Every structure is written in C-alpha cells, then in structure tokens.
Amino acid sequence: MRPFKILPLLFTLWFTRGNAQQNFTLYNMGSVPQRSWMNPALLPECKWHLGIPALNSLYVHASTSGFNFSNIWKATEIGIGDTSVLNFNKLLNVLDKKNYISVKVEQTWLHGGLRWKNHYFNANITEKGAVKISLPKDLFRFVIDGNGGQNLGSTFHFDLGAQAIHYREFGFGYAYTYRDQITVGARLKYLRGLNVVDLNKANLSVQTRSGDYAWLLSSDVELNTASSAFRILNTDTTRPNDFNGRRLYSGVRNGGLGLDLGATYKVTDKLSVNASILDIGFIRWTQNTGSWVSHDPRATFVFDGIHISSKDTNSDFGQYIENLADSMIHTFRLDTLHRKFSTGLSTEFFIGANYKLMKKLELSALLYGDFFNKRFYPGLTLGMRYTPWRALSVNVTNTMYSNGWFNPGLGIAVKGGPVQFYTVADNFLAPVMLSRLRSMNVRFGINLVFGHPSGTAPAKTEPAETDPVTF
Amino acid sequence: MKPIGYISLCAALALSGCIKDTLDKARKIKKVKWTGTYAAPLIIADLDLADAVDLVKDAASLGIQSDQTVYLEYANAHVSVRATDWVKLQNQNGSQTEQLSPSEQTALLTSGAVQVMRNFSHSWSNGGMELDSFLCSAGSMQCNFNTNLQHDGSITLVFNSLIKNGAPLTLTGNFTYTGGLSSLNFNRDLTGYVFDLSRSAPGYNQFEASVRLDLTKSGSVVLPSDQFQINVSLNGMQYRRVHGYFGQTLLLNPADSAKLSVFTSALSKGKVQFEDPRVKLAFTNSMGLPYRFTANSIHFSIPGVSFQNLNAPPAPFPGKAAAFSALPSVVKDSIVYNNGNSNVKALIANEPHYFAYDVSALANPLGKTSNRNFLWDESVLELKASLELPFYGISSTLVLEDTSDFSLNGGKEVSYIDWIRFRFHTENGMPLSLGFQAYFMDSFNHVLDSVFTPYRYILPGATVDAGGNVTAPAIEQFDAIINRPRIAHINEARKLRLRIMVPTSQYNGSPGPVRITRNQKIKLKAGVEIKLSANAPI
C-alpha cells in the first residue's frame, strides 16, 4: 500500500482522553520535528525543517473526565425481559470528586529549525486557546441525591473552577549534543496574553443542619478577566468600553514567560533515556483587567426559614423574599477590582526510555504527569515505532491514564520528497468505541524537511544509521 | 488484497461491532430510576398573643394591664363633641347715630371748634350663650363713619373691648366737607385681639367703643338735623379660647353596639371562661365646664335568644371640668363595671354576641353658677365605651373547626413522593396548648386520613403555678411523617376538616385560671424533608 493511499484515513478524528497537552504518541514520533515541543532535547531526523505557515501543526482537543457510555452501563440495572433500567443515583459512583471538561485549540503560524554540528536551533509562533471547566461531584450529588436523608449534616462543596484563556507563544529552542551521547535542550517562550476569563476560585458550600434543616451557606469567589482588546468586566461607566482588535496583534502588555527543559542520555547503542519538564511559567495580565472578588471570603449565611415575628409590620411576602435575597447578596457581595494578576501555565513532565529492538523497530516507555485543579494526573505510555521505509513512520502506543488502561494511540508520518505530512492521535479507536468516548484530539500538519543530520543521504529503504532515532 | 488491506477490513468490521454494541445497549434502556431526599427550613416564628388571637379578635384590639396581663378590648369608635362644633361665634352688626347737643352747636358757632365725646355700644348676640371674652384667632372688622355736618373734622374711635398687646384698637380719620355726606371707612384684621365683653353690665355680651369727634367750623350753618353715624360689622370670627356660660346642653347621646367576635366565630365550639371581664366607660374632657354622664342602658345579647342588662347601673356620674391654664389640659374619668360591682362576669359566661350601650352627657348640669365655662378651640369631650376581657381564665374545651371542599389535584407528580416529614421545634411560653388536626375526607364525609396520627398537641402549654402564672416554657421537638399510603389518601380526599384545640394549662392535673402576659412568647421552628423517587419509562 502506497503511503498516499492511507491519507484519507489520516483525516479521521482520533480520540484520546485527558486534560493536558496529551502528546503521548507524538513524543516518540522521531521524524516529526514538532516532537521537540514535548522535550527540547529531542532532535529531528533532518538537517533543517520549515513548517508550512499556518498548516504545520493544528491541534484540536476536547475531553471530559466524567461520563462516558461505559460509565453509564455501570449505572444500569436489569429490567424486565431484555430491557435495562438506568439508575441515576449510581451515576454518581462513576464521577470523580472533581470533574472537568476541557477544550483546546492550537494553531502554529510559523515553525522552523536547523541542526548545525552539535547544535539545534528552532523557533515557533503558536496561537493557543483553551477552555477548562471543573465541576465538583458534590454539585451532582446535591441535585440527584439531595441534601436530605443521609446527607443531612454533611457539607456539599461546590468548588467550581473554570478558565478560558487565549495567548500567543513565541518559542525559541536550543539543544546541544555532547559526544553523541548526552543532549540537553531548553525552550524559552515569550507569551503574549490576549484574553482570559479565569474563575480562579469559587468555593461555595452548603450544609443542611439535621436538627432543623437550616441551610448554612458560604461563598469565596475570585474571578479574573483581562483582554488586550477590551475590558471584559467594565463597571466604570466613565470609561467607554471600545473594542480594539488591533491590540490582539500589537503591543507588549499582558506578557509572560515560559520555559521547557529536556535531556536525553544514550546509555547504549540500543537503549536511551530522556526526560523533560514543560511549561514552567506564567502570564502577567495588566491590560484591561477586571476582577470580582468576595468582599468577605469567610462570609457565611444561615437560612433557617421564613422569619415571622410579632414585630413584623410588613406582610408583603414578595417584599420579604426580596429583602432576604438582598441580605444574601449583601453577605456574599463581590468587590469589583481592576488589578494586575497572573495565571500559571499547566506544568507537565515526561520521563521516558527507548529500546531499539531492530533496525526498523523501536520500543518505548513514557511516564507522564500533569497537575490540574490541584490534582496530579499520571500516565504511562508503552509504544512501538515501526519505520518500514524512510518515507513512512508509524508509532503505535497504548496509554494508561486517568483510570483508563486501554487508550491506543497512533501516529503516522509520510514523506514525499521534502514534504512531510503527519497526523497523531492518542486514542484513535475512540470514535468507534463509543463506550469509551470521553475525549478527542488530533494533531496534524505539513512540514518541509531537508537533509540528514550526518550530511549524507541515507538509503531510501531504511532509516539512517546515524540517527539517534529515539531522541 | 495485501495484508494491510485485510487488517484494515477486519479492524473496520470489529470496530463497527463496537458501535453497534453501544447503540444496542443504549436502546435497551427503557426506564430510569431515581431517588432523592431534599430538606429545607420553612418558618421560624416568634409570636406573642397578638398573633395568636389574630384569627378571632376581628375588630378587637389588645391592651396591657399594669400587672402585664394582656386583655382583649371591644370598643366602637370614640364618640366625641368638639368645642368649635358646639360654640360658634356669630357675625355681629352694630350701628349708632348721634347728634350734636345744643351746647356743642353753640360752641362750634361761637368758637369755631368743638370736641364731641360719645360711647358706642353693641349688645352681642350668640344664640343665647353668654360670652365674657374670647381670644380671636380669625375674623375682620369693617367700620364706617358718615355725617351730614357741613364742617371739617376728625374722628377717633377707641374700641376698649378689643385689646391687643395691652392696647385697645384705635381708629382715626379726618374728613372735609365738600358738599353732601362726609364718610370714612375702616377695615381691620382681628386676629390676636382679645374681645372683652364684660366691661359693663351684665358682665357679658357687651361690645364697646369710645368716640371722639373734633369739628372745625367751615363757615356753613349748623342745623338741628346735623348728625353722624357709626356702623360696625364683625365677620368670620373664630376663637382660640372663649370664656362665658354656654348653657345646659346635651353634648353626647350615643347608642351603639359592638360584636364580640370571640364568642361569635362560627368555627368555635366549647367554652372559654374569663375570670375578670369588665365594662369600661372612659371620658376624656378638655372643656372647662362640668358635665353629667348618664348610662341609660348597658346590655349584652344573643339575638333571638337572650337580652341581659348589666345590673346596678350607677347613678348619674358627675364629670370633672378641665382646669384652666395657659395651655389646654385634659381631665380623664372612667366608670368600670367589674365582677365586684356588677354581674358582668355572669353575663360574659353566657358568651354573648353583642355588647350595647345607650348613654348621654349633659353640659352644666347644675345650670348657671359662679364658675364660668371656658373652651379652647381644640377642646373636646370624648367617650369610649368598651368591654375588656383580660386573658385570665380557663379554656378547657375550646375547639375551632371548619370543613371545606378540598382537592389536591396532585396528578401523576404526587406518585413521585415517597414521604414528607415535617420537623417541629417549639418553645411555648404561654399557658395555652395548641392542638391541630386536619381530617381528609371523601365526598361522603368519611375520614380517609389525618395529619397527626396519633393526635398530639403542636404546642403543649407552659407549666403554671397554682395562681395560673407561667413558671417554665414547654419545649418540644417532634416529627410528623406523611408516607406514601397517606399521601394517596390525601390525593383522593374531597373535603378537609380543620380542627384547632386551645386548652389552658393545668396545675397538678387540675384546671384553673391561667394568666397570659405580654412577655409570654411562642417560638416555632418548622422544616420539611421530602423523599422523591421515580421509576418511570423513557
């Protein structure tokens, strides 16, 4: 089968799960230069490369940690005959304490790199956008199980989290190989924040007293917003809120810095190990900022019923409810601030090992970890990379991640002349395995790759012997 | 087909099976099942007797005795007469014509000038009332002088009956003969003037002025027919204070009745025994005159059943006059018919529906005496007749009951309710228990179910001592649960009978009068918990 015959398949949506960058399969796609974004010490299998502007890497990701069909089956019971009954209460058992929904889009405008002797330089300009929403299990428990019965006296924590962020990354990477055995690399990233809505904190809680069913409410909220183009939260009526789209492309405010570090070590000719840590950094938002912050983060409100007193002179129930609402709003009132604030990047790390089993076949193991909403999410990927021809590279992986042990990944890179097309997905069976459908992602792009690091053209039917392959 | 083609085909078939399996599982789900239990606070009430008797007090109001005992008061609107409606100042018109005496004519002809002195007087007419004086708060005076004397001159009018700031009202003017009548007109605002109408006999209703006419001969002749005339008109007068004698007048003669809703509620059954009821006639008088109050009739009735007079009505009651001072003052009197001087307790024990009275008040009952009357413009004589029922008594079998049509119309949604639990916390500081029951009945009045099974008091009464005084509040916490079968009964019910029982607390198991005071409170806290469940097809 010629490589171009499988091109239509490569346009299929690939699905995977998770909430971070999720490039388990790309990490070991040696022929794809973009893998250096996972580890700055991973070198491309070419002398220089240039991504087709705006088409060299498009990444789309959507995921949820909560329901999938498989979980729904766990909440069903045997019904009459061949039917089944869906038990809503059992659905709670499959929810995590915190459940997230995540959508990401990344578009790389420019990307290029050059290997010269032991040095590798590369740069990229990438537009990144992400929306993350974290929903607590208690929210669903409150709605489905209710606050009565066995839940009397227990506290429901509605710790909501949400962030929508849009920024531009200007990355400059450098790697150095020492004695063809150790490679260290770093990428410094200047970040230009464009828009953000960050529900940094929404710690709401409700407790129902068992004695009298009174509700004890508390709230601690912090919402930060900023934009280069306009003021998202504008309570200042004296300042017009004009949209200025040009600021999305110019200016230096809302700046930030990010750093990726990586290293590889060639233990033997067949075995190598590598590690990286990515996205250490932050964005400092200074332009058109607006925040809502709880006036009293420790404020509590007790609703113990509609108060009826002999001293009451107002018998208007509607007015009473209005006053009650006003009292609650006053207790939990939010201050509007226009202040600078920072948002951190989602730091993640990789630790891997590669073993070259045969000339065309390489095995890999990759340990992954990321933090989101104060939780650590580890993952382990086992992979096999097959390179039947220099023009084709196939990487098959399986990732154990977020309580799922079967997440097969597939990456394919084909090359015709200097034109390389690649596509990668970490859970490519998800579209047809609906029961496991929790998320989707796909990355694809077109690069122009030239030359060989050694300076000599390798045989067309096999990978270059001098290629570090796994790095 | 090459191997990779076979692999792709097999994989496609296997994967399409995964999709089919998922869809099949989804299609098999025919029902959903769900259970949730929800709790919410309902009310937290802090009530006193005013709230407790709201249901029955109707037109009554609550009062507090000096010993803090609360009483229920039935009274109609106060009956009163205002001074300004009774004694009104009438407009006055006085006129007096004078001629020159012969000596005055001679003096004018011989010396060319003469001074003529006269007194102007007007006898005040005010509906037979005797006015000694009054302070005028509004009114005006028009005064006209005219003469046919063919000479020049001036006139000075000094109204000694009109004093302001210690000085009498004085009018002066010059006139010049130009042929025909000479005339002068004066207009004055009388506000702030004190009318002294007692300067001459008989000591009241006398309005006076002195007249001085200075004439200068003009060369014309002096005729016997020469005269001059003074006309005085007083209009729109009102007083701030008036003194005099205003006559022996019937000031008030009201006859009215009040419905005693505490006994007339169609909902109530059983008896309430008030230990110290009283009929009270209260007077408020700010008039400076004596009066005599007469109770012509006070009685209680149940229309068509009974009519009973309050016995031993008192002799006519002499009401006190307000004392005179720089500002209006009030004197209060009252007549009380209680268990000690009348049969009112026995009459109230019959639970009458109406309380009625016919009384009168006569001003100056002894006629004209040396003590003169006075009134301020705001003076009033007011009567308030009321029945006061202090909450000191016994209620042993008092039941409020009503039956009405009822339909929950819950429909299918009611079937989702497993049970409803009402949780009560009560702290009753009153020596009254409150029992409540709701009976759900079918259209043939057969009882299907009730809220409290077994029956219980929502508010047990506070503990009392032998004197009926509260010694400790009653504190309770309990649940009332309505489960699914009972909910079904309620859903089927077509009539609802509500029953409220309000017995008083007992001391050592024996009924006795208890006392309800203003500081006694009922604290009630209620919440609801409801369990819902569904097992429904989709």
Side-chain angles (χ1 to χ4, degrees):
Chain A
M1 180 178 280
R2 297 286 178 127
F4 67 87
K5 287 185 178 178
I6 60 171
L7 286 179
L9 289 176
L10 303 180
F11 284 97
T12 306
L13 282 174
W14 309 121
F15 289 76
T16 188
R17 59 185 299 177
N19 61 306
Q21 194 75 13
Q22 308 248 324
N23 291 286
F24 308 120
T25 306
L26 177 65
Y27 192 94
N28 285 306
M29 293 281 290
S31 60
V32 179
Q34 277 80 1
R35 73 170 185 153
S36 68
W37 297 343
M38 308 297 107
N39 184 338
L42 294 178
L43 306 178
E45 295 172 354
C46 59
K47 189 153 188 174
W48 63 279
H49 59 86
L50 180 65
I52 300 296
L55 292 177
N56 64 83
S57 177
L58 177 63
Y59 176 69
V60 181
H61 166 91
S63 66
T64 170
S65 70
F67 285 112
N68 61 11
F69 284 108
S70 174
N71 289 330
I72 292 176
W73 309 149
K74 293 176 185 172
T76 58
E77 299 170 353
I78 296 172
I80 300 170
D82 195 26
T83 66
S84 58
V85 179
L86 176 60
N87 188 331
F88 273 109
N89 299 85
K90 287 187 176 178
L91 286 175
L92 294 174
N93 299 335
V94 300
L95 286 175
D96 291 333
K97 188 177 180 183
K98 293 179 179 177
N99 305 274
Y100 57 81
I101 298 168
S102 173
V103 176
K104 289 185 177 183
V105 177
E106 293 180 9
Q107 168 74 62
T108 301
W109 302 113
L110 295 171
H111 179 220
L114 170 67
R115 289 184 67 172
W116 179 68
K117 297 184 177 176
N118 294 334
H119 308 277
Y120 172 51
F121 305 92
N122 63 85
N124 69 287
I125 300 175
T126 302
E127 201 90 357
K128 295 190 174 184
V131 177
K132 300 175 191 172
I133 299 172
S134 173
L135 298 170
K137 180 179 182 177
D138 273 5
L139 183 63
F140 299 95
R141 196 163 65 94
F142 184 84
V143 173
I144 295 176
D145 275 355
N147 61 329
Q150 62 184 7
N151 288 332
L152 287 173
S154 64
T155 303
F156 291 86
H157 294 282
F158 303 146
D159 297 343
L160 299 168
Q163 186 188 70
I165 189 169
H166 173 203
Y167 65 96
R168 192 170 295 135
E169 173 186 297
F170 300 86
F172 304 93
Y174 171 74
Y176 177 76
T177 304
Y178 178 71
R179 292 184 178 177
D180 198 26
Q181 190 171 31
I182 297 174
T183 303
V184 294
R187 172 176 293 99
L188 183 64
K189 299 182 283 193
Y190 168 71
L191 308 174
R192 166 94 163 91
L194 300 174
N195 302 290
V196 69
V197 176
D198 182 24
L199 183 59
N200 188 40
K201 188 166 52 177
N203 298 336
L204 315 174
S205 73
V206 178
Q207 186 190 56
T208 306
R209 278 200 307 233
S210 57
D212 58 0
Y213 306 146
W215 294 344
L216 285 66
L217 313 173
S218 69
S219 170
D220 180 11
V221 174
E222 181 183 340
L223 174 71
N224 298 312
T225 69
S227 172
S228 296
F230 70 114
R231 190 184 289 271
I232 297 172
L233 285 183
N234 186 31
T235 55
D236 186 353
T237 55
T238 63
R239 298 174 61 182
N241 193 16
D242 297 330
F243 181 85
N244 187 343
R246 285 185 302 174
R247 293 199 194 124
L248 293 173
Y249 305 100
S250 61
V252 294
R253 299 178 73 178
N254 295 335
L257 288 175
L259 180 65
D260 301 340
L261 298 172
T264 67
Y265 177 65
K266 190 174 176 183
V267 182
T268 66
D269 285 344
K270 292 192 174 186
L271 177 65
S272 64
V273 294
N274 51 71
S276 68
I277 183 166
L278 308 178
D279 284 332
I280 306 167
F282 63 93
I283 298 175
R284 183 69 172 165
W285 300 87
T286 61
Q287 190 173 26
N288 291 331
T289 59
S291 300
W292 278 341
V293 181
S294 288
H295 181 80
D296 180 3
R298 292 170 296 181
T300 59
F301 186 89
V302 178
F303 175 61
D304 52 5
I306 295 170
H307 285 229
I308 302 170
S309 170
S310 303
K311 300 177 183 65
D312 289 343
T313 54
N314 189 354
S315 58
D316 185 344
F317 183 71
Q319 183 65 45
Y320 176 85
I321 296 299
E322 194 173 311
N323 292 342
L324 181 67
D326 287 345
S327 175
M328 190 182 297
I329 290 170
H330 179 76
T331 301
F332 296 134
R333 67 187 182 278
L334 301 172
D335 293 335
T336 302
L337 308 174
H338 297 287
R339 61 177 186 183
K340 300 170 183 176
F341 63 93
S342 299
T343 54
L345 303 180
S346 295
T347 303
E348 52 194 342
F349 69 85
F350 293 92
I351 300 172
N354 297 66
Y355 184 77
K356 193 171 181 181
L357 193 63
M358 295 163 31
K359 270 188 179 179
K360 297 180 181 180
L361 189 64
E362 181 186 66
L363 305 179
S364 63
L366 184 63
L367 186 65
Y368 166 84
D370 72 77
F371 295 89
F372 176 66
N373 202 12
K374 300 175 184 173
R375 287 196 68 187
F376 176 60
Y377 293 88
L380 176 63
T381 301
L382 300 176
M384 180 181 69
R385 182 190 173 207
Y386 181 57
T387 310
W389 312 289
R390 177 172 166 74
L392 174 65
S393 176
V394 178
N395 193 16
V396 179
T397 63
N398 181 54
T399 300
M400 289 162 275
Y401 181 72
S402 187
N403 300 323
W405 64 271
F406 183 61
N407 300 292
L410 178 64
I412 298 173
V414 295
K415 181 167 169 287
V419 180
Q420 178 194 56
F421 178 87
Y422 71 94
T423 181
V424 189
D426 286 328
N427 191 2
F428 72 99
L429 291 181
V432 290
M433 297 180 68
L434 289 177
S435 64
R436 305 186 61 77
L437 180 60
R438 269 184 175 166
S439 63
M440 57 159 278
N441 78 32
V442 63
R443 183 191 295 272
F444 60 88
I446 304 173
N447 296 315
L448 298 176
V449 295
F450 299 97
H452 189 272
S454 65
T456 58
K460 287 186 178 179
T461 56
E462 59 185 34
E465 288 293 314
T466 55
D467 187 356
V469 180
T470 58
F471 302 163
Chain B
M1 187 178 285
K2 295 184 177 179
I4 193 166
Y6 287 113
I7 293 171
S8 299
L9 181 60
C10 292
L13 290 172
L15 296 177
S16 64
C18 291
I19 295 174
K20 184 175 182 300
D21 182 55
T22 300
L23 295 177
D24 284 346
K25 282 183 177 176
R27 288 191 191 103
K28 284 181 181 176
I29 298 175
K30 298 297 183 187
K31 293 177 91 174
V32 292
K33 191 174 168 183
W34 160 73
T35 298
T37 309
Y38 304 87
L42 289 179
I43 60 166
I44 178 164
D46 191 357
L47 309 173
D48 57 20
L49 192 68
D51 305 285
V53 300
D54 256 348
L55 291 173
V56 294
K57 74 185 179 71
D58 198 14
S61 58
L62 289 177
I64 309 294
Q65 292 182 170
S66 57
D67 66 354
Q68 302 298 306
T69 302
V70 181
Y71 64 87
L72 192 60
E73 179 186 59
Y74 286 94
N76 280 327
H78 300 184
V79 182
S80 63
V81 58
R82 296 186 65 84
T84 49
D85 294 332
W86 174 34
V87 175
K88 298 177 181 177
L89 296 177
Q90 297 176 355
N91 294 339
Q92 304 292 321
N93 290 296
S95 181
Q96 192 168 315
T97 302
E98 295 288 339
Q99 289 184 318
L100 299 187
S101 65
S103 61
E104 290 167 336
Q105 292 178 12
T106 302
L108 178 61
L109 289 172
T110 56
S111 59
V114 69
Q115 185 179 71
V116 178
M117 299 295 294
R118 297 288 187 277
N119 284 323
F120 174 86
S121 66
H122 167 70
S123 187
W124 199 287
S125 173
N126 212 85
M129 293 181 179
E130 298 174 3
L131 304 186
D132 298 348
S133 64
F134 64 89
L135 173 59
C136 189
S137 61
S140 62
M141 179 176 77
Q142 291 78 43
C143 182
N144 168 258
F145 165 79
N146 62 75
T147 180
N148 59 358
L149 287 164
Q150 297 172 19
H151 305 280
D152 301 336
S154 65
I155 185 170
T156 302
L157 286 164
V158 179
F159 289 89
N160 298 309
S161 292
L162 281 174
I163 308 296
K164 189 174 186 179
N165 297 325
L169 174 63
T170 301
L171 305 175
T172 60
N174 299 319
F175 57 91
T176 303
Y177 175 66
T178 57
L181 287 175
S182 300
S183 180
L184 290 173
N185 290 303
F186 303 92
N187 288 300
R188 290 293 183 273
D189 178 8
L190 297 177
T191 302
Y193 278 95
V194 174
F195 281 68
D196 184 357
L197 307 179
S198 63
R199 291 177 59 83
S200 57
Y204 54 85
N205 289 356
Q206 296 303 309
F207 181 76
E208 294 178 350
S210 63
V211 181
R212 175 181 155 184
L213 193 65
D214 292 298
L215 295 172
T216 304
K217 185 182 178 187
S218 64
S220 301
V221 296
V222 177
L223 300 174
S225 60
D226 285 351
Q227 60 182 22
F228 63 91
Q229 188 178 44
I230 296 168
N231 301 301
V232 175
S233 179
L234 303 168
N235 297 300
M237 288 175 294
Q238 294 177 14
Y239 59 84
R240 169 70 180 121
R241 186 184 66 237
V242 60
H243 294 256
Y245 172 68
F246 309 123
Q248 194 174 59
T249 308
L250 192 61
L251 290 176
L252 297 170
N253 187 22
D256 207 345
S257 63
K259 186 177 182 181
L260 306 180
S261 56
V262 70
F263 300 126
T264 57
S265 170
L267 308 177
S268 64
K269 299 174 182 174
K271 290 189 78 68
V272 178
Q273 182 179 328
F274 291 94
E275 290 295 306
D276 190 21
R278 54 184 177 253
V279 171
K280 187 174 183 181
L281 303 170
F283 309 94
T284 302
N285 182 26
S286 54
M287 294 183 181
L289 54 85
Y291 65 95
R292 183 174 64 209
F293 168 77
T294 304
N296 305 314
S297 168
I298 299 175
H299 64 266
F300 296 90
S301 67
I302 302 175
V305 177
S306 65
F307 181 96
Q308 294 173 301
N309 275 311
L310 190 72
N311 66 3
F317 171 78
K320 297 188 187 79
F324 179 74
S325 61
L327 293 172
S329 62
V330 172
V331 60
K332 293 186 175 182
D333 277 318
S334 64
I335 306 170
V336 177
Y337 306 107
N338 55 28
N339 194 31
N341 62 11
S342 73
N343 61 342
V344 64
K345 181 181 175 184
L347 300 185
I348 292 300
N350 293 330
E351 300 185 352
H353 292 186
Y354 288 94
F355 156 60
Y357 58 88
D358 178 0
V359 297
S360 61
L362 180 70
N364 295 312
L366 301 178
K368 188 173 171 182
T369 66
S370 58
N371 293 323
R372 307 289 283 179
N373 304 157
F374 72 87
L375 299 172
W376 294 85
D377 57 353
E378 63 197 57
S379 292
V380 63
L381 174 62
E382 186 176 85
L383 166 66
K384 178 183 165 189
S386 61
L387 170 66
E388 293 181 355
L389 301 174
F391 282 97
Y392 177 58
I394 304 172
S395 161
S396 54
T397 56
L398 179 63
V399 174
L400 307 177
E401 193 169 273
D402 191 21
T403 302
S404 60
D405 290 338
F406 173 81
S407 178
L408 187 62
N409 276 332
K412 186 181 175 185
E413 288 73 20
V414 172
S415 66
Y416 296 140
I417 302 174
D418 267 4
W419 49 257
I420 304 172
R421 172 187 285 124
F422 293 96
R423 176 158 292 177
F424 297 94
H425 292 259
T426 65
E427 183 178 330
N428 186 6
M430 290 188 190
L432 291 171
S433 299
L434 175 64
F436 168 80
Q437 184 60 287
Y439 296 100
F440 299 95
M441 304 182 295
D442 62 16
S443 54
F444 304 105
N445 290 335
H446 295 140
V447 174
L448 300 173
D449 216 318
S450 57
V451 172
F452 292 101
T453 306
Y455 171 77
R456 62 159 302 135
Y457 285 112
I458 294 177
L459 292 169
T463 307
V464 295
D465 60 16
N469 302 303
V470 170
T471 56
I475 299 172
E476 287 270 315
Q477 175 179 330
F478 62 94
D479 291 349
I481 300 174
I482 303 174
N483 55 23
R484 189 179 281 274
R486 298 177 68 193
I487 291 169
H489 288 154
I490 293 170
N491 202 27
E492 293 167 10
R494 292 295 172 264
K495 288 190 175 181
L496 174 68
R497 189 165 82 218
L498 295 175
R499 192 168 200 205
I500 298 173
M501 288 138 280
V502 193
T504 47
S505 297
Q506 298 183 346
Y507 174 66
N508 283 342
S510 301
V514 298
R515 189 179 301 281
I516 297 176
T517 64
R518 67 180 304 179
N519 298 324
Q520 294 168 352
K521 297 279 185 182
I522 294 173
K523 294 178 181 176
L524 171 66
K525 192 184 280 189
V528 64
E529 187 178 9
I530 182 168
K531 184 179 182 185
L532 306 174
S533 65
N535 193 353
I538 54 173

